[in-house]
Amino acid sequence: MRRAKEGSVNRSKESSEDTSKEPGADFLQLDIGEAPARGRAQWLAERLRLALADGRLPVGSTLPATRRLAADLGVSRGVVTDAYQRLAEAGHVTGRGRGGTTVVSAPTLPRPERPPATAPSSSALFGQAPPGTDIFDRLRTTPARIDLSPGLPDLAAFPRAAWLRAERAVLNTLEPSAFGYSDPSGAPAVRRSIARWLALNRGIRVDAEEVIIVAGVSQALALIAHVLRRDGITGIAVEDPCSLGIRQHLNYWGMDTPPVRVDADGLRVDELTASGAKAVVLTPAHQFPTGVVLHGDRRRHLSRWAEDGGLIIEDDYDAEHRYDRPPVSALRAALPEHVFYTGSISKLLAPALRLGWLLAPARYRDALALAKRNSDLGNAVLPQLVLAELLDSGELERQLRLLRRRHVHRRDAMIKAIAGQLPGTEVHGAAAGLHLTITFAPGVDGVALAAAAFALGVKAHPLSWYGQRPQPPGIVLGYAASPPGDIAEGIAALGAALRHQVGGNPR
Amino acid sequence: MRRAKEGSVNRSKESSEDTSKEPGADFLQLDIGEAPARGRAQWLAERLRLALADGRLPVGSTLPATRRLAADLGVSRGVVTDAYQRLAEAGHVTGRGRGGTTVVSAPTLPRPERPPATAPSSSALFGQAPPGTDIFDRLRTTPARIDLSPGLPDLAAFPRAAWLRAERAVLNTLEPSAFGYSDPSGAPAVRRSIARWLALNRGIRVDAEEVIIVAGVSQALALIAHVLRRDGITGIAVEDPCSLGIRQHLNYWGMDTPPVRVDADGLRVDELTASGAKAVVLTPAHQFPTGVVLHGDRRRHLSRWAEDGGLIIEDDYDAEHRYDRPPVSALRAALPEHVFYTGSISKLLAPALRLGWLLAPARYRDALALAKRNSDLGNAVLPQLVLAELLDSGELERQLRLLRRRHVHRRDAMIKAIAGQLPGTEVHGAAAGLHLTITFAPGVDGVALAAAAFALGVKAHPLSWYGQRPQPPGIVLGYAASPPGDIAEGIAALGAALRHQVGGNPR
């Protein structure tokens, strides 16, 4: 609020008496005459973006009302709404309610002449093979102009107003005793809502009491590892390639993670059987990172393996995010007594909420509930009840539809950019999820490519990070969290890096 | 809202046209002529309480505006405000903003003729010695008219409006990237705020980066146990008596918990030394449950033990709740390299928030951060930032002052009731905290007393639950979560049970 008085864009109480100075009057000295006739919204968005980047529109300031700015510029209100919408999708502004449109983040301008002194270099981040356990934390804290890391939904789409509304509704009617200690396995209301959601969206029939609320899939895996170790199990097979985070998690909790190959039909169940592993964690609906769907024959084969005593841990990490294919049913739906099933709202709302669920075969349920109890006495209650409210009111369903539209749009932008900038590249797993995996002709060095892209200000992960055994040269690219313009720019940087590499141009 | 239309107490849109029927007009058919001239507020509160209990004022309904009801009854507005305040303190209503005063919970009327069929009997709950690991969950889910279990603050005092305001402020300015994965050790903003709070309130100098945000003290202990076990430590000495929950937690995570006696000066450090234990968890500021403060000599002795290689885990569980004594400084302040320090907002705001902090000796910090990371990738971000906002705005300070006033009032009510109903009983630990421990003359059976009180609808814990070795006959009584009327009634029930027991009256 202090900054608001310094700038000229805010309608502070002091200036409201000065009616000759309307907030949009000479706002940013915009001259609509500069705009192309058929691209005014884009022109306006670009001008605003520059003002955000150079500090003329600081974080916390409010944009003029659309009606007012449109009148002042002599354009239709739709032009201004469209421009604001672009900024909102890019995560720079939020609001648009009675409080107005507020600036929440500034775009980073490329500053090749002054990289942050403390940031690790591209070779420090990408030079290590295999990557260390700190790789994600180091990458997260290293700034880059464009972030195409996989695993994030469109964070700018988080329904702030709906969340706050739901929380107000919860707080208005909550009994005081609900602020005390509660059921460590979760609040009854949210367990009911999750059970209903899983029935409707994933075909899983489950009683509310069977749902254990956890702090995301990472905690679910920690609890499972703990309980299985007490049961004498010391290894959990993983898909190869698979999520590096999951592998590191299991290793930390004392589990070996023997790799089992993934081919075009999904997990090689014959190799799983041959490995002698007693348990396996997999992503059957949309294999991470290859995007393969587990084929029907493999599902049957895997079911037999489970019925012979194998334990399946089904990580249904992005089951809801499918675009142009029918839903793939959950293994848990058919094999309740052989499948641990886990999911979260990280990709539906936000990873920062640390809220997920876990279903277990009946014989493991009490042990898991006890492990959860002794880990943290249960998740925080308020966010659970807010989630229940969002589920029951249909708000989450609405959010999912919104995300799907945006994600498809961004996916298509990425595929188009790849076709233009990376000809000959093979694209995998486009039918669902939040990322694409692309592979290159043999001879390309995926790690060097990611390192070169990073040097150009673009984060993306080499496919090899996810494998325990050698993988084809490839890159894993998240598209959900970036607006189309960033995606195009990021892929262009990758294209430049690839041309440089295959051109054999020595440094 | 559906119920609102059925009742007569709500001001629904439909009835707002019917101006002859003012909401307070014949509200509950109250006749002020029945009220004693000098106790009108109490009379009104009692009538409202009955209407809450028998369903005439259902949960979700709104009480008439104070001004209106006062005018209708022909009393001053202060009488109505006072009555509403009593209901609010008891946790039955909330609000009082523009939305009006809303009913959130009904008092339970004693129904001796129809106990819930599935509730465990008094003997099932109290018959087991030592109590099982499920005792707290079973007690929590067993209803009772009056709950004097220790460990809870005044839950009705949770600052709902301030919490919501802070959350709105956070959501209005949060960058989209904050909804993604973040630092597993906690959001920088709240670590800074906690560091400041600990400096101001506990005399602990600590950098923000040294603070690890955890899901309460229970998680802090789980993480410490895990890290110490990797360091080859297999036992952590505990005070005897001590928190049963803490003991069960440590046992679950594979730690032995050798008991060390507590006397009038606190932990017997000579016994700790003799035990050979490498680590100890203790509550030096207000020993749980005896309320003893660790004496200066013992502190010096304990410091020497630590400097000789012993590790101290300081559970500063209710350091802020002191009433008529100077603050006791934290061990951590003097011994940063020998003390793990943990605390939470469970007793300042609500256990349901599952939010706490952990400081560690430098050589354990990275290992603990890694354990936290692999447990759940960090606490949820929004509540952390809301807490930071409440800390920075002074709202938490205000909450603490409010709680202190209420708690002192309730403590005094309990001490007075004990003097009247339980003559000859010794009261311990009244100078701080949220509970009293009372002990009886030898020969009294504390467990039987708690069981008898439970049969009369009053929950309280026998002191023996907290000891590994025999304890004097006693009861641990929480006063903070109950209004004075409930406290008086609960202590009266205990008194009746004691008279019955020492009267030697056989069943």
Side-chain angles (χ1 to χ4, degrees), chain A residues 91 94 102 104-105 136-137 140 151-152 155-156 158 160 163-164 167-168 171-184 215 218-219 222 226 230 248-249 252-253 346-347 350-354 370-371 373-382, chain B residues 91 94 102 104-105 136-137 140 151-152 155-156 158 160 163-164 167-168 171-184 215 218-219 222 226 230 248-249 252-253 346-347 350-354 370-371 373-382:
Chain A
T94 184
T102 308
V104 293
S105 80
F136 293 121
D137 289 328
R140 189 174 37 71
L152 288 178
L155 298 174
F158 183 84
R160 301 176 192 225
W163 181 271
L164 206 57
E167 181 142 339
R168 184 182 303 112
L171 281 172
N172 274 345
T173 53
L174 208 57
E175 283 203 26
S177 62
F179 291 108
Y181 293 98
S182 60
D183 189 330
S218 64
Q219 186 176 54
H226 181 68
R230 294 206 167 187
Q248 291 179 343
H249 250 75
Y252 181 85
W253 294 111
S346 293
K347 289 169 179 67
L353 297 172
R354 309 307 312 127
L370 194 62
R373 182 193 201 296
N374 283 291
S375 295
D376 54 17
L377 295 182
N379 265 50
V381 171
L382 277 184
Chain B
T94 182
T102 307
V104 293
S105 81
F136 293 122
D137 288 328
R140 188 174 37 71
L152 288 178
L155 299 174
F158 183 84
R160 300 177 193 226
W163 182 270
L164 206 57
E167 181 143 340
R168 184 183 302 112
L171 281 171
N172 272 345
T173 53
L174 207 55
E175 283 204 28
S177 62
F179 291 108
Y181 294 97
S182 60
D183 190 329
S218 63
Q219 184 176 55
H226 181 67
R230 294 205 168 186
Q248 290 180 344
H249 250 76
Y252 181 86
W253 295 112
S346 293
K347 289 169 179 69
L353 296 173
R354 309 306 313 126
L370 194 61
R373 182 191 202 296
N374 283 290
S375 295
D376 54 18
L377 294 182
N379 266 48
V381 170
L382 277 184

Side-chain angles (χ1 to χ4, degrees), chain A residues 124-354:
Chain A
L125 278 168
F126 293 89
Q128 209 179 341
T133 52
D134 58 348
I135 185 67
F136 293 121
D137 289 328
R138 292 177 65 196
L139 257 189
R140 189 174 37 71
T141 52
T142 307
R145 198 156 40 92
I146 293 170
D147 190 350
L148 301 181
S149 303
L152 288 178
D154 180 5
L155 298 174
F158 183 84
R160 301 176 192 225
W163 181 271
L164 206 57
R165 247 189 338 264
E167 181 142 339
R168 184 182 303 112
V170 166
L171 281 172
N172 274 345
T173 53
L174 208 57
E175 283 203 26
S177 62
F179 291 108
Y181 293 98
S182 60
D183 189 330
S185 291
V190 76
R191 296 163 84 184
R192 277 195 298 274
S193 306
I194 297 288
R196 210 178 305 128
W197 174 268
L198 292 178
L200 289 175
N201 289 276
R202 303 299 294 132
I204 294 172
R205 285 178 58 115
V206 64
D207 288 341
E209 299 74 46
E210 297 172 45
V211 178
I212 301 177
I213 301 297
V214 294
V217 169
S218 64
Q219 186 176 54
L221 292 172
L223 298 176
I224 291 170
H226 181 68
V227 165
L228 292 188
R229 269 194 72 88
R230 294 206 167 187
D231 218 23
I233 295 177
T234 56
I236 297 177
V238 298
E239 296 167 305
D240 195 48
C242 78
S243 156
L244 176 60
I246 286 181
R247 194 146 50 82
Q248 291 179 343
H249 250 75
L250 293 175
N251 291 156
Y252 181 85
W253 294 111
M255 284 288 175
D256 290 331
T257 49
V260 177
R261 255 192 307 163
V262 170
D263 64 20
D265 290 338
L267 186 81
R268 289 283 300 259
V269 184
D270 54 339
E271 288 194 9
L272 172 64
T273 308
S275 78
K278 295 204 168 77
V280 64
V281 55
L282 79 169
T283 48
H286 186 240
Q287 205 276 330
F288 187 88
T290 67
V292 170
V293 177
L294 191 66
H295 189 276
D297 286 343
R298 294 279 170 86
R299 287 173 80 95
R300 280 185 287 279
H301 195 169
L302 185 66
S303 299
R304 280 198 300 277
W305 176 82
E307 279 154 5
D308 288 346
L311 283 169
I312 296 170
I313 301 163
E314 181 172 25
D315 175 12
D316 207 24
Y317 75 105
D318 63 2
E320 298 89 357
H321 300 281
R322 59 182 176 77
Y323 309 119
D324 25 41
R325 68 166 202 215
V328 178
S329 72
L331 290 172
R332 165 80 194 190
L335 296 165
E337 289 315 317
H338 305 282
V339 176
F340 294 88
Y341 175 94
T342 179
S344 81
I345 53 165
S346 293
K347 289 169 179 67
L348 209 50
L349 284 173
L353 297 172
R354 309 307 312 127

Side-chain angles (χ1 to χ4, degrees), chain B residues 35 61 81 84 87 107 114 139 141 146-147 158 184 191 200 207 210 213 250 259 320 364 409 430 435 439 470 474 480:
Chain B
S61 65
T81 310
Y84 283 14
L87 296 180
R114 198 172 55 91
L139 258 189
T141 53
I146 292 170
D147 191 349
F158 183 84
R191 296 164 83 183
L200 289 175
D207 286 342
E210 297 173 45
I213 300 297
L250 293 175
E320 296 90 357
Y364 284 108
H409 187 57
H435 76 277
T439 50

